[in-house]
Coordinates of all heavy atoms in Angstrom, one line a residue:
M109 N -13.3 32.0 6.9 CA -12.0 32.7 7.3 C -11.4 32.4 8.7 O -10.2 32.2 8.8 CB -12.1 34.3 7.1 CG -12.1 34.7 5.6 SD -12.0 36.4 5.4 CE -12.6 36.7 3.9
D110 N -12.4 32.4 9.6 CA -12.0 32.0 11.0 C -11.4 30.5 11.0 O -10.5 30.3 11.7 CB -13.1 32.1 11.9 CG -13.4 33.7 12.2 OD1 -12.5 34.5 12.1 OD2 -14.5 33.8 12.7
D111 N -12.0 29.7 10.3 CA -11.6 28.3 10.1 C -10.2 28.3 9.5 O -9.4 27.6 10.0 CB -12.5 27.4 9.4 CG -12.2 25.9 9.6 OD1 -11.5 25.6 10.4 OD2 -12.9 25.1 8.8
A112 N -10.0 29.0 8.5 CA -8.7 29.1 7.9 C -7.6 29.6 8.8 O -6.5 29.0 8.9 CB -8.7 30.0 6.7
R113 N -7.9 30.6 9.6 CA -7.0 31.2 10.6 C -6.8 30.0 11.7 O -5.5 29.9 12.0 CB -7.6 32.3 11.3 CG -6.7 33.1 12.3 CD -7.3 34.3 12.8 NE -7.6 35.3 11.7 CZ -8.8 35.7 11.3 NH1 -9.8 35.1 12.0 NH2 -9.0 36.5 10.4
T114 N -7.8 29.4 12.1 CA -7.5 28.3 13.1 C -6.6 27.2 12.5 O -5.7 26.7 13.3 CB -8.9 27.6 13.5 OG1 -9.7 28.7 14.1 CG2 -8.8 26.5 14.5
Q115 N -6.8 26.8 11.2 CA -5.9 25.7 10.7 C -4.5 26.2 10.5 O -3.5 25.6 10.8 CB -6.4 25.4 9.3 CG -7.9 24.8 9.3 CD -8.0 23.5 10.1 OE1 -7.0 22.8 10.3 NE2 -9.2 23.2 10.5
A116 N -4.3 27.5 10.2 CA -3.0 28.0 10.0 C -2.2 28.1 11.3 O -1.1 27.7 11.5 CB -3.0 29.4 9.4
Q117 N -3.0 28.6 12.4 CA -2.4 28.6 13.7 C -2.1 27.3 14.3 O -1.0 27.1 14.9 CB -3.5 29.5 14.7 CG -3.5 30.8 14.4 CD -4.6 31.4 15.3 OE1 -5.6 30.8 15.7 NE2 -4.6 32.8 15.5
R118 N -2.9 26.3 14.1 CA -2.7 25.0 14.5 C -1.4 24.4 13.8 O -0.6 23.7 14.4 CB -3.9 24.0 14.4 CG -3.7 22.6 14.8 CD -3.5 22.5 16.4 NE -3.2 21.3 16.7 CZ -2.2 20.8 17.4 NH1 -1.2 21.6 17.7 NH2 -1.9 19.5 17.7
A119 N -1.3 24.5 12.5 CA -0.1 24.1 11.7 C 1.1 24.8 12.2 O 2.1 24.1 12.4 CB -0.4 24.4 10.2
L120 N 1.1 26.1 12.6 CA 2.2 26.7 13.1 C 2.6 26.1 14.5 O 3.8 25.9 14.7 CB 2.0 28.2 13.2 CG 3.1 29.1 13.8 CD1 4.3 29.0 12.9 CD2 2.6 30.5 13.9
E121 N 1.6 25.8 15.3 CA 2.0 25.2 16.7 C 2.6 23.9 16.4 O 3.5 23.6 17.2 CB 0.7 25.0 17.4 CG 0.0 26.3 17.9 CD -1.3 26.1 18.4 OE1 -1.9 25.0 18.5 OE2 -2.1 27.1 18.7

Side-chain angles (χ1 to χ4, degrees):
M109 284 186 201
D110 286 339
D111 193 10
R113 187 176 299 109
T114 300
Q115 297 300 336
Q117 288 171 335
R118 182 67 185 121
L120 183 60
E121 290 168 5

